[in-house]
Amino acid sequence: METETRAPKDVLLALARQKPALELGSTDVVFLAALHLRGSRSALASFDEPTLVDVFEEVMTFVDEGKSRRRATHAIRRLRDQRTLSRVDHAGVVRRGEFALTRLGTAIAEFFLDEDALTREALTLLMRTLLTSLGGIVAQGAALVHTPEAFRDAVEAPLRVTVRDLVSGIQRRQRGFDLQQEELRHEVGELLRADWFGAVERCQELLDATGRTLRELGEVILRDTHAAQGLLQDVQDLAASAGSEPSVDAARAVMEQVDRVAAWGTARQRAFSEYYQYVHRFLRDVVRLDPSRALTQRLRDQLGGAVGRKFSLVVAGEAPPWLLRDGPPPRDDGPPVKRPKKPREPELETTDEGPDPREVLEAAVTAALTEGVPTLSALTERTTRDTPAEARFVAAGRVAEIAGKLVRPLARAERAWIPTGDGYELEEWTLPRKGVAL
């Protein structure tokens, strides 16, 4: 009950922390099955140590085939370590103990003994017992609906123990039936592999028998689960009237179990119907048309390339044809709307900076030379007269450069350096007189 109320994640986390493991050999499984059979046939709820040793020795006579003789005490300790066998007395080491199969050991033994496969008889008996128990619960609940304590004992406890165990027994046998279905499919394949055409009749019998069993189970499940759901609904209404919320939850849990039983029957019938049709189609189209299996073998050889050239299917994709259709002309929506573009950078403003100062200076030098200025110092003083004082040194260099390009100074053995009024000295040149061609 605690596991059902906890979240699945918490349950799995707790289980992972315990690090469970299960290691059983074939001898251990047979030993468990032998204990289960001995307990069932002798009506033993537990086994003393001599009985365990006796069963183990019996198992070893036909399991181990005399290759090795394992000690019974070792086998018993191993089963106890695997939690399949537990000691049920509390005498410790004072005397020999009593042992019993745990729920895990019983489940393992029953799984391999196939005692829990669902049959029509077992399902009918279980469903009849379930309906009888639910009918009794409804009758007692109706009589005790006004006494909460008595109602809980009469309704909730049977729902949680008796009824749920009955439905769980049906579900456990359903899992056994699923295992039989898997073995049936394996058996059909083995029969066809061993005796191709001769296995047709045997396969047909297996399929018909299984289909008949499933149909009978489906009828019982459909009929009795509907009746069980009606009784459980009555129990739930009575529990609601009595104000017993735990009883309502217990009835709801059993109803969900019954729904799963009904869903199992529907799903298995649908799955087997598909398998039945597939096998019948295979028997009709493959096995009966090729009884000697010669065509199948030749086809395999051809596909595998054992006979001549390999067979293959060449497929080329065909291009779809172009179909021209008359359609409406495209609508003229006019030119697209455009937004006027803005210049990314502002335009540069043009300003009138006046004549080039170098050209003005060159014109002034030319005019002075034409008028016959005799020396470079006089030419410099005349042409840089209006130039600011801080720019006269640069202007004097430009005057000498322009004068050197326009006239050839007269050659002298030595040219004197004359100071100017602006704080620098100037090499004196003697310039040609007026009338000298420039």
Side-chain angles (χ1 to χ4, degrees):
M1 297 300 297
E2 184 181 358
T3 303
E4 294 177 356
T5 57
R6 296 168 58 188
K9 182 180 178 181
D10 297 337
V11 176
L12 296 177
L13 183 60
L15 183 62
R17 287 174 178 170
Q18 296 176 5
K19 298 180 179 180
L22 188 63
E23 296 180 2
L24 292 175
S26 59
T27 304
D28 300 325
V29 174
V30 176
F31 188 24
L32 286 174
L35 289 175
H36 181 71
L37 291 175
R38 175 69 67 87
S40 301
R41 294 174 181 176
S42 303
L44 297 176
S46 59
F47 310 94
D48 54 13
E49 290 190 14
T51 304
L52 290 177
V53 175
D54 181 60
V55 174
F56 181 77
E57 293 295 336
E58 182 182 356
V59 169
M60 294 303 295
T61 55
F62 53 87
V63 171
D64 204 32
E65 298 178 352
K67 294 180 180 178
S68 63
R69 303 290 295 177
R70 296 175 55 185
R71 297 180 58 186
T73 52
H74 176 70
I76 295 171
R77 185 184 308 113
R78 180 176 176 80
L79 292 184
R80 293 185 64 184
D81 294 339
Q82 300 300 314
R83 302 180 184 181
T84 55
L85 189 68
S86 63
R87 185 167 179 172
V88 294
D89 69 298
H90 303 283
V93 295
V94 177
R95 63 174 181 270
R96 293 177 177 177
E98 290 283 334
F99 298 87
L101 288 177
T102 62
R103 191 155 53 98
L104 175 62
T106 304
I108 292 174
E110 290 177 348
F111 176 82
F112 285 100
L113 293 175
D114 284 338
E115 288 186 348
D116 278 345
L118 191 64
T119 62
R120 185 180 186 282
E121 292 75 14
L123 179 62
T124 302
L125 178 60
L126 288 170
M127 292 302 294
R128 191 173 300 167
T129 307
L130 175 64
L131 294 177
T132 303
S133 299
L134 288 176
I137 291 174
V138 171
Q140 291 187 5
L144 303 173
V145 68
H146 299 296
T147 53
E149 295 294 335
F151 183 86
R152 185 175 60 252
D153 295 339
V155 175
E156 182 184 349
L159 282 176
R160 292 191 182 280
V161 179
T162 307
V163 176
R164 295 194 64 174
D165 286 348
L166 285 171
V167 181
S168 299
I170 296 173
Q171 292 178 319
R172 186 173 63 251
R173 286 167 174 78
Q174 287 175 340
R175 291 190 286 271
F177 187 83
D178 290 339
L179 181 60
Q180 285 187 349
Q181 296 303 299
E182 185 177 358
E183 293 176 350
L184 169 68
R185 291 190 288 271
H186 180 72
E187 184 178 0
V188 169
E190 291 296 327
L191 286 172
L192 291 175
R193 193 175 297 108
D195 187 4
W196 178 249
F197 188 75
V200 173
E201 298 299 332
R202 176 58 180 159
C203 293
Q204 185 66 48
E205 293 175 359
L206 288 174
L207 292 175
D208 292 343
T210 305
R212 187 165 51 253
T213 302
L214 264 177
R215 187 168 54 255
E216 293 173 354
L217 292 176
E219 292 173 356
V220 174
I221 289 175
L222 181 64
R223 180 192 63 213
D224 292 346
T225 54
H226 181 72
Q229 290 287 18
L231 291 172
L232 286 168
Q233 185 63 47
D234 294 341
V235 173
Q236 197 172 25
D237 294 341
L238 289 173
S241 300
S244 177
E245 192 63 26
S247 300
V248 174
D249 295 339
R252 185 184 301 112
V254 177
M255 291 173 73
E256 292 175 354
Q257 277 189 292
V258 174
D259 284 339
R260 286 196 291 271
V261 171
W264 175 89
T266 305
R268 293 304 178 273
Q269 281 192 331
R270 183 170 53 251
F272 182 77
S273 176
E274 295 175 356
Y275 176 73
Y276 185 87
Q277 294 176 9
Y278 171 78
V279 175
H280 262 275
R281 189 167 55 250
F282 181 80
L283 295 177
R284 182 184 64 246
D285 298 343
V286 179
V287 180
R288 293 186 184 278
L289 290 180
D290 187 18
S292 61
R293 217 172 183 178
L295 178 60
T296 305
Q297 186 61 38
R298 283 199 295 272
L299 182 58
R300 286 183 175 178
D301 295 340
Q302 189 72 31
L303 291 175
V307 181
R309 188 178 178 183
K310 272 191 175 182
F311 175 80
S312 61
L313 177 63
V314 179
V315 179
E318 183 179 0
W322 289 86
L323 300 178
L324 302 179
R325 300 175 180 175
D326 296 332
R331 188 177 59 181
D332 185 10
D333 296 332
V337 179
K338 295 183 179 179
R339 179 180 298 176
K341 295 183 179 179
K342 295 182 179 179
R344 295 182 178 179
E345 297 180 356
E347 296 181 356
L348 297 177
E349 296 180 359
T350 56
T351 56
D352 187 7
E353 298 180 353
D356 188 1
R358 189 177 183 83
E359 293 179 355
V360 173
L361 181 61
E362 186 174 355
V365 171
T366 303
L369 291 175
T370 304
E371 292 176 1
V373 177
T375 61
L376 178 61
S377 58
L379 178 63
T380 302
E381 182 182 1
R382 180 174 176 176
T383 54
T384 60
R385 184 180 303 157
D386 299 332
T387 304
E390 63 272 12
R392 286 179 184 174
F393 180 77
V394 177
R398 291 178 178 174
V399 169
E401 178 187 2
I402 296 171
K405 291 180 180 178
L406 295 177
V407 298
R408 182 183 299 276
L410 298 177
R412 296 290 185 213
E414 184 179 355
R415 294 176 179 174
W417 289 85
I418 299 175
T420 63
D422 297 325
Y424 60 88
E425 293 182 348
L426 181 67
E427 186 182 34
E428 184 65 284
W429 292 355
T430 303
L431 300 176
R433 293 182 179 278
K434 185 179 179 181
V436 177
L438 296 175

